[in-house]
Amino acid sequence: MRNLAVELGRMLLTAIGLPFSLLHRSVRSIGERSQAAKRARFDTTQWTLDLLRHLEWRRFEELCAAYFEALGFTTSVTRSRPDGSADIAMRVEGADAATVLARCKSWSPYPIGIKPLQELFAAMAPAGVGEAVLITSGRFTQPAAEFAAKHKIELIDGARLLTEFAGLAPEKALALLKLATDGDFLTPTCPCCSIKMVSRKSTDEGRAFWGCENYPRCQLIFSSTAHVPA
């Protein structure tokens, strides 16, 4: 699926003998300016739930890992899952192996249900841990909370996470805020290619979506409202 404007531009540049790379840089520059304007509307000097919910999924994972480090854990991040998202293994000082496994779910308009918790619980034994944490910038369903309580999984939703940040030493809380808001924290990262995606529109319906910059080699897309891997 290609952006109609890009295709027309390619044809025009080809006709007049200019390289398509010029158009590609122009489109990317327009997208970067648009994202910069969106970032400017956020007050990045303090934590708010709105800011937390707008962090793209990869940045949210990085924030969570840094938060655990601020608590005194040593973390190990792996990305062996099919959707590219992270497993964060946590080890307390002096321990030879990880004791807690964490996963993250950035904001979604829908509450987090049981399925991600079942997947996390299934990963606990292979990871050799007896406890787990699932963090979201959104919220959880009641059945999810009941499942977590039975299987030694701690749930941290967006509101609680902000409370946790407020309880840190001021310099640690500020360091997390700077990490979260550095550069482009809004544009989703392609899970396959680990690069920022590009805002596009379908040629048939004009539907907005995020596409990988490496298209057509990488054809992964998110909806325009997506904050997490599909």
Side-chain angles (χ1 to χ4, degrees):
M1 187 180 298
R2 293 181 181 271
N3 185 303
L4 179 59
V6 173
E7 288 301 304
L8 291 175
R10 183 199 292 271
M11 295 169 61
L12 176 61
L13 289 175
T14 300
I16 61 178
L18 294 177
F20 176 66
S21 59
L22 293 180
L23 173 65
H24 182 72
R25 287 197 295 269
S26 176
V27 171
R28 183 167 56 186
S29 177
I30 292 172
E32 289 171 349
R33 289 198 299 271
S34 175
Q35 288 303 90
K38 290 179 181 179
R39 292 195 299 274
R41 78 178 180 87
F42 290 97
D43 179 3
T44 58
T45 64
Q46 61 181 340
W47 279 114
T48 64
L49 195 56
D50 187 45
L51 172 60
L52 186 67
R53 288 177 173 176
H54 278 81
L55 297 181
E56 63 104 359
W57 70 274
R58 178 65 68 87
R59 184 64 61 90
F60 183 68
E61 288 185 341
E62 293 169 348
L63 171 67
C64 291
Y67 164 66
F68 294 131
E69 293 275 355
L71 293 180
F73 289 98
T74 298
T75 65
S76 176
V77 178
T78 58
R79 297 191 179 276
S80 57
R81 292 157 62 192
D83 64 1
S85 52
D87 280 340
I88 305 172
M90 293 183 282
R91 176 171 52 85
V92 297
E93 185 177 357
D96 295 329
T99 56
V100 183
L101 181 66
R103 288 183 177 178
C104 312
K105 288 287 185 181
S106 58
W107 185 82
S108 166
Y110 306 104
I112 304 300
I114 289 180
K115 184 178 178 181
L117 289 161
Q118 292 173 327
E119 294 171 346
L120 178 55
F121 178 67
M124 290 169 61
V129 302
E131 300 178 58
V133 182
L134 186 62
I135 301 184
T136 179
S137 49
R139 51 200 175 93
F140 297 97
T141 64
Q142 184 58 36
E146 294 170 356
F147 181 93
K150 294 178 181 178
H151 296 90
K152 295 186 178 181
I153 300 176
E154 183 176 4
L155 301 183
I156 301 178
D157 63 14
R160 180 183 166 188
L161 187 56
L162 291 186
T163 300
E164 296 289 333
F165 289 164
L168 294 172
E171 64 274 12
K172 290 185 177 181
L174 180 59
L176 292 179
L177 181 61
K178 288 183 176 180
L179 168 68
T181 58
D182 180 52
D184 184 355
F185 55 85
L186 300 176
T187 303
T189 301
C190 174
C192 295
C193 304
S194 295
I195 60 175
K196 290 295 184 179
M197 304 183 86
V198 178
S199 179
R200 292 175 174 153
K201 287 186 178 181
S202 63
T203 56
D204 47 359
E205 301 174 352
R207 176 178 55 85
F209 66 95
W210 293 104
C212 183
E213 191 171 345
N214 285 334
Y215 179 90
R217 179 167 57 84
C218 176
Q219 301 189 28
L220 191 147
I221 64 172
F222 294 163
S223 72
S224 62
T225 58
H227 293 268
V228 296

